[in-house]
Amino acid sequence: MRIFSGIQPTGRKHLGNYIGAIEQYVAYQDRGEAIYCIVDLHATTVPYEPALLRERLYDTAAVLLAAGLDPARCIFFRQGDVPEHTELTWLLSSVTAFGDLNRMHQFKEKAGAQRDLVSAGLFTYPILMAADVLAYRADQVPVGDDQRQHIELMRDIAQRFNARFAPDAATPPLVVPQGVYREIGARIMDLQEPERKMSTTGGTEQGTVLVLDEPKTIERRFRRAVTDSGSEIRRAPEKPGISNLIEILAAVRGSDFASVESDFADARYGDFKLAVAAAVIERLRPVQERYAELRPDETALEAILTAGAEKAHAIAAPVVAEVRELMGVGPNPRRSGPDS
Ligand code: AQP
């Protein structure tokens, strides 16, 4: 089984990224051939500073390695180093429906937040994401719940490509991938506005816990987390703040909701919040320590990403060559040469 996922180097990684995606990446290294990339090209679709993009890329690489990605057990690279991603994006745009792109929630949200330019790249972002995954014929894509619509679109793109260009193939050229979502922790909400997901661009500063936040900052964020006027620690639609804290603690402990609810049945909100903060601090402590060791050595980070890109290129190049051939792009590889 082949696994693929990508993560943006925009902003600093938060607890939602960590629980919803990064922990899954680490676990999936032992479940198949895992391929992970930092999607710097996706990050250019909204306003950004080029020098800062490189800094954030190293930050993100060091966070992922500190969390447990092991270049000996996975392929770990930078998207922009493997040109097949952009070529395949263009080729697949011919089997992507404009109307489908127009329906993407993330495009609508992010386009609405732009003050100057809504880039065409923001609109075609989901095709690049489809190309990322389809170039590797990945079977499974571990992601957070917010990516469901993009995963559905990439499945449609693969199916439409196969039906249009290889209707009779015994093995379809593109694998139709499946999204995999954590049962607990696939959507971590903002601590101040628990109806919205914790997010780099759309969340509140006070409601967002960063992977690299100081312990006292993490504790303060949880202490001030919005709850409700009741006193019961149980999950309920009318209790989004408490439900989110229960979900965070269950995900961090690796337990279910019921055991968190029963452990804190007699606790007050204040004590519960501190318990969640303590568990998150403990979970992130080794990641932060390892990050501090890894981040300064950009040469070593580059070497890991470059080696990963070579391995990624070796997988993606023949897939993209087959797509070109099936689409009639470039010379016919079966045509006789001038000497024959
Ligand atoms: N709140 C979340 N809960 C669970 N999973 C989440 N993910 C993101 N937010 C949550 C998952 O993290 C992975 C990486 O996402 P990304 O590459 O989009 O990184 P990001 O830009 O840092 O994510 P944000 O904060 O969600 O970005 P914006 O603000 O740009 O929308 C993905 O698998 C995602 O599902």
Side-chain angles (χ1 to χ4, degrees):
M1 180 179 70
R2 192 174 277 161
I3 295 119
F4 182 98
S5 199
I7 187 161
Q8 293 201 70
T10 35
R12 297 188 183 276
K13 294 298 108 181
H14 53 73
L15 190 62
N17 301 137
Y18 183 76
I19 292 176
I22 298 172
E23 282 197 330
Q24 287 210 88
Y25 299 173
V26 175
Y28 270 82
Q29 292 180 117
D30 299 322
R31 294 184 198 166
E33 185 188 3
I35 307 174
Y36 300 120
C37 86
I38 305 183
V39 293
D40 54 347
L41 299 176
H42 277 102
T44 64
T45 59
V46 289
Y48 73 100
E49 279 304 319
L52 206 56
L53 175 61
R54 289 212 179 85
E55 287 298 309
R56 294 290 183 245
L57 192 127
Y58 291 134
D59 294 348
T60 306
V63 164
L64 290 171
L65 293 167
L69 282 204
D70 175 1
R73 288 188 297 147
C74 70
I75 297 175
F76 180 42
F77 69 105
R78 172 173 42 211
Q79 182 188 38
D81 290 348
V82 181
E84 279 74 15
H85 291 241
T86 42
E87 181 175 3
L88 189 57
T89 301
W90 182 257
L91 296 170
L92 294 179
S93 66
S94 69
V95 285
T96 306
F98 178 87
D100 287 347
L101 291 176
N102 226 1
R103 277 190 283 278
M104 293 292 120
H105 307 308
Q106 186 173 299
F107 171 69
K108 288 184 191 160
E109 281 158 24
K110 291 198 173 177
Q114 303 309 314
R115 264 177 290 157
D116 300 324
L117 174 77
V118 176
S119 72
L122 194 58
F123 187 67
T124 53
Y125 179 115
I127 317 178
L128 178 57
M129 187 171 157
D132 293 341
V133 175
L134 302 180
Y136 298 89
R137 297 198 170 113
D139 305 290
Q140 298 207 340
V141 189
V143 279
D145 190 62
D146 58 328
Q147 294 301 320
R148 280 181 195 272
Q149 203 185 22
H150 287 159
I151 299 284
E152 276 316 306
L153 180 68
M154 76 174 65
R155 289 171 55 82
D156 287 349
I157 291 173
Q159 280 160 346
R160 206 172 293 127
F161 179 89
N162 291 340
R164 164 79 177 84
F165 294 108
D168 304 320
T171 307
L174 295 181
V175 169
V176 181
Q178 274 189 330
V180 284
Y181 312 91
R182 278 186 76 156
E183 217 170 297
I184 294 178
R187 182 177 283 263
I188 300 299
M189 310 307 275
D190 188 283
L191 301 184
Q192 288 298 315
E193 295 182 8
E195 295 81 10
R196 292 162 61 175
K197 70 161 191 158
M198 192 176 284
S199 154
T200 311
T201 52
T204 66
E205 192 186 337
Q206 296 301 320
T208 304
V209 173
L210 301 178
V211 172
L212 299 176
D213 269 343
E214 298 268 332
K216 58 178 185 307
T217 306
I218 299 178
E219 193 186 288
R220 192 170 59 244
R221 300 266 191 265
F222 278 103
R223 205 160 357 97
R224 294 185 184 163
V226 164
T227 48
D228 55 73
S229 54
S231 60
E232 263 183 291
I233 294 171
R234 67 176 169 82
R235 290 174 77 244
E238 69 281 10
K239 294 164 81 73
I242 282 293
S243 299
N244 187 37
L245 295 176
I246 292 172
E247 179 136 9
I248 291 171
L249 187 53
V252 169
R253 279 178 164 190
S255 70
D256 57 11
F257 300 133
S259 72
V260 172
E261 288 172 349
S262 73
D263 286 355
F264 290 89
D266 302 322
R268 285 187 303 213
Y269 280 177
D271 297 329
F272 178 56
K273 289 189 207 176
L274 287 180
V276 182
V280 169
I281 290 167
E282 275 320 299
R283 170 50 62 97
L284 295 180
R285 189 190 307 278
V287 180
Q288 296 181 348
E289 287 170 1
R290 186 90 184 99
Y291 175 87
E293 290 164 18
L294 293 167
R295 177 61 183 87
D297 194 348
E298 292 184 359
T299 309
L301 295 172
E302 266 305 331
I304 290 170
L305 295 170
T306 305
E310 275 172 30
K311 292 183 199 162
H313 172 73
I315 299 172
V319 177
V320 177
E322 190 182 336
V323 167
R324 283 169 62 100
E325 190 188 326
L326 286 165
M327 290 179 74
V329 173
N332 182 349
R334 280 178 286 279
R335 188 171 173 271
S336 310
D339 303 333
S340 53

